[in-house]
Amino acid sequence: MGGSAWRCVLLLVTGCGESRPPAESEAESEAEAESGSEAESESESEAESESEPQPGCVPGAWTRETIPTAGSVWSNALAVTASGDVNVAYWQNGFKYALREMGGDWVEESIDVVKVPLEGSPLDIALDADGTPGVLYSGSDPGDAEEVRYAHREAENDWAIETIAALPFTDQVSLAIDGMGVVHAAYLRISVELYYARRDGGVWTIEEVLGPCPAISGPCFALGADADGVYMAIRGFDGGLELASRWNLADSFWGENQLDPDDGAGWYPALDVATAGVHVSYFEHDSGALRYAYQQMEEPWDLTIENVIDGVAFADYGNGSSIAVDADGDVHIAYYDATDGGKLGYARRSATGSFAVETIDDEDDAGWFPSIDLDATGAAHLTYVVFSETDGTALKYARRCP
């Protein structure tokens, strides 16, 4: 199952300091040299600590655990710092947040106690350059209209909450924070109106973009951003997977190109921006194939599409995939497969190899709403929901040693 069933490569044509005075003595010069060596040694140690695996870690092995929560959990999203601190946002009688610093215990916080139209209310999480989390979600206070909100963690148990828009029946949200601290948000209202919002310098700019996408038992778009632009992978209303790109934030123009023209392509997409391109995981619904697309965002503008695995089954709830790409260009995909009662799958491909697929959790109905991220060592971190007929839902966490 690790090889690709088919592969196509398409070539796209687009037009679309002051000088320092000398030391006063040899002794002072030697002292400064020693101080500089110590500083360099400390920096090297810090870099090594971020790139070395955790002690006792067996390469390729998975560890799993249940994140302690106060009740049943539905939607969730994960973001991990370079040093391995795990940040999780989830819905459980309100929007909650769990943090586990490397080597520590889980700490739970409340973000916002709001009512929502569905138990699986949409949410997403992203980290800024300092590792501070922001959470995008939709909900309402009792008696008020539903709102799309953004919460930014300022300190322990202290969240600054901003309303982006009063918008009822928001089906999906997607969030990214670029290296300059600009917040990019996208949200979909009743599968008809897709909006893009940008927060720069504390001010939100909002616009309705592109066309509708069908939100059927899972996401129909995903957002990503880097220093060069903003990108959205979208399932077209009439089928197929499309990529919308915007390179000039001051301009309202979105360039569009079709990644996968198959009518059943584009279901439940996830997106990561890395290695000079956009990486997308998604499903071809007719065949049940999990697919991977890579669009190079510089010359020669190559597009690569691969089948990762065939025969994935879908459910009425919890469907999805999540993708992350490490510094070496290795691709990591987590996905839910409703086959045999439901399981969490994981696919990994080196930059020059083929996909290898494995099952991470097949207990009860495991793998709802999978979310994946990587730390600086290349370790994969996953969160997902497990449903049991007797115990309800639980939020789980898995980690793969690199």
Side-chain angles (χ1 to χ4, degrees):
M1 291 191 299
S4 60
W6 62 275
R7 178 186 180 97
C8 73
V9 180
L10 304 177
L11 180 64
L12 298 183
V13 180
T14 64
C16 39
E18 295 179 344
S19 61
R20 182 180 177 187
E24 293 182 0
S25 66
E26 291 184 4
E28 183 177 322
S29 179
E30 291 175 0
E32 289 180 352
E34 290 176 1
S35 175
S37 297
E38 290 175 0
E40 287 180 6
S41 178
E42 289 177 3
S43 298
E44 290 173 358
S45 298
E46 289 176 0
E48 288 173 359
S49 68
E50 285 192 352
S51 60
E52 291 178 354
Q54 192 175 5
C57 184
V58 179
W62 287 93
T63 58
R64 291 182 295 158
E65 62 184 272
T66 299
I67 300 176
T69 63
S72 292
V73 172
W74 297 89
S75 50
N76 74 98
L78 165 78
V80 181
T81 66
S83 59
D85 296 342
V86 182
N87 301 259
V88 186
Y90 58 96
W91 162 254
Q92 188 269 313
N93 293 328
F95 291 94
K96 306 287 182 67
Y97 166 78
L99 169 66
R100 191 177 78 174
E101 297 179 342
M102 179 62 77
D105 297 323
W106 291 103
V107 178
E108 183 185 67
E109 298 177 11
S110 176
I111 299 174
D112 197 353
V113 181
V114 295
K115 295 177 66 176
V116 295
L118 297 171
E119 289 178 311
S121 184
L123 61 82
D124 201 4
I125 188 171
L127 305 178
D128 65 18
D130 296 325
T132 303
V135 179
L136 181 68
Y137 57 97
S138 174
S140 65
D141 295 319
D144 292 340
E146 185 183 350
E147 296 178 336
V148 178
R149 296 179 178 178
Y150 174 73
H152 179 78
R153 190 172 187 257
E154 296 190 327
E156 185 175 350
N157 285 308
D158 184 9
W159 291 80
I161 299 174
E162 304 173 22
T163 296
I164 301 175
L167 199 68
F169 308 112
T170 300
D171 298 316
Q172 301 167 40
V173 300
S174 190
L175 178 69
I177 304 176
D178 66 29
M180 300 299 292
V182 177
V183 180
H184 305 268
Y187 46 95
L188 181 72
R189 178 179 179 270
I190 56 173
S191 302
V192 175
E193 301 165 3
L194 180 58
Y195 292 88
Y196 166 70
R198 182 177 71 255
R199 182 182 185 273
D200 192 356
V203 178
W204 286 99
T205 302
I206 304 170
E207 61 189 79
E208 186 175 353
V209 296
L210 309 173
C213 65
I216 303 174
S217 67
C220 67
F221 74 94
L223 173 77
D226 64 6
D228 296 321
V230 185
Y231 315 94
M232 275 198 274
I234 305 170
R235 169 168 164 73
F237 200 80
D238 295 323
L241 177 68
E242 300 173 357
L243 178 67
S245 306
R246 184 168 175 175
W247 294 278
N248 184 357
L249 295 183
D251 191 353
S252 60
F253 174 76
W254 291 83
E256 297 180 60
N257 64 284
Q258 192 168 58
L259 298 182
D260 191 332
D262 287 356
D263 290 343
W267 287 64
Y268 320 132
L271 182 150
D272 192 21
V273 185
T275 60
V278 175
H279 305 255
V280 184
S281 61
Y282 61 100
F283 292 96
E284 201 288 319
H285 197 271
D286 296 340
S287 65
L290 173 65
R291 289 182 180 174
Y292 161 75
Y294 170 67
Q295 174 64 73
Q296 190 175 4
M297 300 308 291
E298 60 184 24
E299 291 185 355
W301 306 96
D302 285 345
L303 167 64
T304 302
I305 299 177
E306 299 181 39
N307 262 25
V308 179
I309 181 175
D310 291 311
V312 174
F314 306 105
D316 295 330
Y317 199 65
N319 300 304
S321 69
S322 184
I323 187 170
V325 181
D326 63 30
D328 295 327
D330 294 355
V331 180
H332 307 252
I333 301 174
Y335 63 96
Y336 172 63
D337 183 355
T339 303
D340 300 326
K343 56 189 176 182
L344 174 68
Y346 168 77
R348 179 177 178 272
R349 193 202 72 174
S350 67
T352 57
S354 58
F355 278 101
V357 179
E358 59 183 302
T359 297
I360 306 306
D361 193 341
D362 59 2
E363 296 180 7
D364 296 313
D365 190 355
W368 289 12
F369 309 114
S371 185
I372 190 170
D373 203 2
L374 310 170
D375 62 30
T377 70
H381 304 254
L382 287 80
T383 54
Y384 56 100
V385 172
V386 175
F387 173 75
S388 167
E389 293 286 353
T390 56
D391 300 325
T393 60
L395 181 60
K396 286 201 170 183
Y397 165 75
R399 181 182 183 276
R400 181 184 185 275
C401 180

